Every structure is written in C-alpha cells, then in structure tokens.
C-alpha cells in the first residue's frame, strides 16, 4: 500500500540540512497532503522556529511517498 507523509527540510547557517517527518497524519494522495500543508504551514513550522531560531535559514515542505502499513 502506498501513502504519503509530510517531510520538512530545514537548512541552517553553514549549509547543514536536516529532514524531519510529520508522522501524526498520513495521506492517500499528494493532493490531500499539499492541501494540509497549505492550511497548516504555521503549525508545521512553528516548533522548528522555536527550537532553532536564527540558526535556521530556510525550509521546504515535501509530500513523500511510503510503502507498507500506514503509521
């Protein structure tokens, strides 16, 4: 079975990059995944802004496919 999860790529001063997965919700298709991102950008990003502050220089959201049982 294929499903989609939200992945957030964080870029930091010095060029380091980290990826975080939002696993509290999964999606059946990319459309519903992107719709959720559009409606919840602030809630998805806020914890990372609080944790990393000015050290974080950029971010990107992705909808990544996964195979197997839904988490």
């Amino acid at each position: 079975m294929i499903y989609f999860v939200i992945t957030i790529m964080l870029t930091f001063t010095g060029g380091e990059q980290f990826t975080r997965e939002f696993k509290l919700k999964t999606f059946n298709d990319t459309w519903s995944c992107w719709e959720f991102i559009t409606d919840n950008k602030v809630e998805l990003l806020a914890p990372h802004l609080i944790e990393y502050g000015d050290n974080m220089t950029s971010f990107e959201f992705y909808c990544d496919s996964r195979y197997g049982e839904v988490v």
Side-chain angles (χ1 to χ4, degrees), residues 6-70:
I6 297 171
T7 302
I8 305 171
M9 180 175 287
L10 308 172
T11 304
F12 298 91
T13 309
E16 291 181 280
Q17 292 183 329
F18 297 105
T19 302
R20 301 288 186 256
E21 285 188 356
F22 179 75
K23 295 183 178 179
L24 297 178
K25 185 167 179 64
T26 59
F27 307 91
N28 293 326
D29 54 58
T30 56
W31 176 256
S32 59
C33 181
W34 280 108
E35 185 174 42
F36 186 86
I37 290 171
T38 300
D39 293 342
N40 297 281
K41 282 182 184 175
V42 173
E43 290 86 356
L44 291 168
L45 188 60
H48 305 293
L49 288 172
I50 292 167
E51 184 174 348
Y52 301 114
D54 290 339
N55 292 326
M56 191 172 75
T57 59
S58 183
F59 66 92
E60 287 291 332
F61 291 106
Y62 300 96
C63 291
D64 290 331
S65 60
R66 299 288 185 263
Y67 294 95
E69 294 297 317
V70 176

